[in-house]
Amino acid sequence: MMTNGYAVPSPKPLHNPLGLLAELTHRCPLGCPYCSNPLALDRREDELDAATWARVFREAAGLGVLQVHLSGGEPASRRDLVDVMAAARDAGLYTNLITSGVGVTDQRLRELADAGLDHVQISIQDSEPKSSDLIAGYEGAYARKRGLAVAVVALRLPLTVNIVIHRANIGRIDELVAMALDMGALRVEIAHVQYYGWALKNRAALMPTRQQVEEAVARIEPLRKQHHSRIVIDAVVPDYYARFPKPCVGGWGRRSLNVTPAGRVLPCHAAESIAGLEFWSVKDHSLREIWECNPAFNAFRGTSFLPEPCQSCERRDIDFGGCRCQAFALTGDARATDPVCHLSPQHHVVEEQAAVREDATYVYRRL
């Protein structure tokens, strides 16, 4: 079977998805130049209503999903956020609110907590307020994020701080971890930029040097040892400087799925960047039908579609040939070995792009 040029493998026993990223809206007060949202953002009038999200959550739980990440955009842009979150809890899902920290009032946070919110994740751009606001494209964002963290901790909700690393803040890994500790976080994510969507558009302005990356990575283990009883430090090596590719979201259509504000269901947040795939909507199909039958989900499941050197590689069933979206972005072929891999015949493309750096003004993410 083919779907717009991509061969769909014969159905095999499927894994159950464990996590659901619910992109409730693409509306957001910030303009982060590395935002994972697509360049073509969904409009407010196209967003799923609360009743549809409630059905999606019930269907997700029926598929085996255990946790839902309520994201955006900024999920607090929705007036019915508390109702949506409560519906996820009613479906038996662990709920994690992923927020910019701008737009969540203390009262709204209390309402969310009273309705059963399990966890909060706040993104913050830098440990220096002026730099943080510049990266976010929003004056005063840093102070509002810090204020929300105080309210989260006061309500005894577990807090994770997410920090996206790039050239403007990569020299402050120690300060960023210290900031997360001061905010009362139990976990901090040191997440180097993934170059899709808005980040790909801003790649030359965001790209650090290899030396900067190596120095930043070298700080992680000492910081883990120093703070092992106080905070968990998660770190993701930047793709363009890695030796092997990451097993993107644990494999295409294998363990997680995304639902966009307008209801399209994706294997990962960047999947719509691959031309030629049609992603079904929860407006027309059940989540199970999409997970099991949508040709776009089956297009890159498993490893049968992979070329050499992946087919004979001992890591084939570990990293699944890397990221399909990155392969498409860098080679034009979503079936190719992810060029991040040093064994890829197109690895030179990554090396060439990593060497391109400009002191350019950010192209901010705007709806």
Side-chain angles (χ1 to χ4, degrees):
M1 182 179 178
M2 302 287 289
T3 176
N4 293 331
Y6 293 109
V8 178
S10 300
K12 296 180 181 179
L14 298 180
H15 292 85
N16 291 327
L18 300 177
L20 168 66
L21 179 66
E23 295 182 337
L24 303 182
T25 180
H26 279 160
R27 289 174 282 151
C28 184
L30 305 191
C32 303
Y34 47 72
C35 181
S36 62
N37 290 159
L39 298 179
L41 299 167
D42 290 342
R43 297 285 178 177
R44 178 176 184 171
E45 56 267 26
D46 297 322
E47 293 172 4
L48 299 179
D49 59 24
T52 303
W53 277 115
R55 172 176 62 82
V56 168
F57 296 146
R58 292 193 298 270
E59 292 176 353
L63 269 176
V65 169
L66 301 176
Q67 57 187 347
V68 60
H69 305 282
L70 304 171
S71 182
E74 171 49 59
S77 298
R78 290 187 61 128
R79 295 180 180 178
D80 59 359
L81 175 60
V82 174
D83 294 336
V84 172
M85 195 284 301
R89 287 289 293 155
D90 289 344
L93 301 176
Y94 182 92
T95 55
N96 175 33
L97 177 67
I98 301 177
T99 176
S100 68
V102 178
V104 182
T105 63
D106 288 356
Q107 179 180 344
R108 179 82 74 92
L109 183 64
R110 284 193 297 272
E111 291 171 353
L112 288 165
D114 290 343
L117 178 65
D118 292 300
H119 183 275
V120 177
Q121 176 178 311
I122 299 176
S123 65
I124 195 162
Q125 285 65 34
D126 204 343
S127 56
E128 297 184 355
K130 185 175 292 186
S131 174
S132 184
D133 289 355
L134 176 63
I135 296 165
Y138 187 101
E139 186 175 354
Y142 177 87
R144 296 181 71 170
K145 292 167 185 288
R146 295 296 302 256
L148 179 62
V150 171
V152 169
V153 173
L155 289 171
R156 299 186 181 278
L157 288 168
L159 173 65
T160 292
V161 170
N162 173 268
I163 306 159
V164 177
I165 304 298
H166 47 89
R167 193 162 77 241
N169 62 11
I170 195 169
R172 290 187 283 276
I173 300 298
D174 288 59
E175 292 88 344
L176 292 166
V177 171
M179 175 190 67
L181 281 163
D182 188 57
M183 292 171 70
L186 301 178
R187 180 182 299 270
V188 59
E189 297 178 351
I190 304 296
H192 288 260
V193 167
Q194 306 294 302
Y195 292 99
Y196 315 107
W198 293 92
L200 186 61
K201 196 175 186 69
N202 285 286
R203 182 172 56 192
L206 296 168
M207 184 69 68
T209 65
R210 179 175 291 277
Q211 181 178 347
Q212 286 177 312
V213 169
E214 290 174 350
E215 291 174 354
V217 170
R219 290 301 306 143
I220 298 301
E221 282 308 316
L223 287 166
R224 282 174 173 159
K225 291 178 181 178
Q226 180 182 351
H227 302 299
H228 72 279
S229 62
R230 300 178 63 196
I231 194 168
V232 174
I233 302 175
D234 290 333
V236 179
V237 175
D239 286 347
Y240 281 44
Y241 292 106
R243 183 171 172 80
F244 293 106
K246 63 180 181 295
C248 189
V249 294
W252 181 277
R254 193 166 182 266
R255 285 301 191 190
S256 65
L257 68 169
N258 294 27
V259 180
T260 71
R264 297 179 303 282
V265 184
L266 317 176
C268 72
H269 67 269
E272 288 183 294
S273 65
I274 300 177
L277 294 179
E278 179 183 353
F279 295 101
W280 294 356
S281 171
V282 296
K283 296 175 181 178
D284 306 310
H285 304 271
S286 72
L287 209 57
R288 181 175 295 278
E289 184 180 9
I290 295 170
W291 180 256
E292 295 178 352
C293 303
N294 185 358
F297 267 77
N298 288 320
F300 307 118
R301 275 188 168 131
T303 57
S304 62
F305 66 91
L306 288 170
E308 291 291 353
C310 294
Q311 280 299 331
S312 56
C313 181
E314 63 183 10
R315 293 180 56 86
R316 181 186 62 192
D317 295 315
I318 298 173
D319 59 33
F320 309 102
C323 176
R324 299 302 94 215
C325 302
Q326 190 152 256
F328 182 80
L330 295 175
T331 74
D333 183 0
R335 294 163 294 201
T337 301
D338 187 337
V340 161
C341 183
H342 75 285
L343 299 174
S344 166
Q346 294 168 296
H347 181 63
H348 64 92
V349 175
V350 171
E351 296 177 318
E352 291 165 2
Q353 293 300 327
V356 177
R357 286 179 290 277
E358 299 175 0
D359 292 326
T361 301
Y362 296 138
V363 178
Y364 287 111
R365 172 245 197 249
R366 302 295 185 201
L367 184 62

